[in-house]
Amino acid sequence: VHRMISEMLRRHPECKVEDTDMAAFVCMSAVEAATYAAVMYQSPRARDPRLVEEISALVVLYLTQGGAKALAR
């Protein structure tokens, strides 16, 4: 899955990160951690549609703004 996501990022014209392998790892880990926490701790957030919106915003902004390099600007 990691390789597939990395390759998709490499080919996507809106993806601005330089290291797509690292970006795939970071995105997968962030999504997994947020969903795990919401589900495992029986949080009401697990059923809140805003969780999907916020995770999506996190990933999209990270990828389209150039990852950590965006902070250096």
Side-chain angles (χ1 to χ4, degrees), residues 5-7 12 27 30-31 34 36 40-42 44 46-47 63 66-68:
I5 292 173
S6 178
E7 187 59 32
H12 200 287
C27 290
V31 170
Y36 178 85
M40 292 305 293
Y41 299 115
Q42 300 174 352
R47 296 185 190 274
L63 295 173

Side-chain angles (χ1 to χ4, degrees), residues 31-71:
V31 170
E32 183 178 13
T35 54
Y36 178 85
V39 171
M40 292 305 293
Y41 299 115
Q42 300 174 352
S43 169
R45 290 184 176 104
R47 296 185 190 274
D48 188 334
R50 293 177 300 172
L51 179 63
V52 173
E53 293 170 10
E54 294 298 328
I55 292 172
S56 297
L58 177 81
V59 171
V60 169
L61 289 171
Y62 171 75
L63 295 173
T64 60
Q65 299 303 310
K69 284 188 128 187
L71 296 175

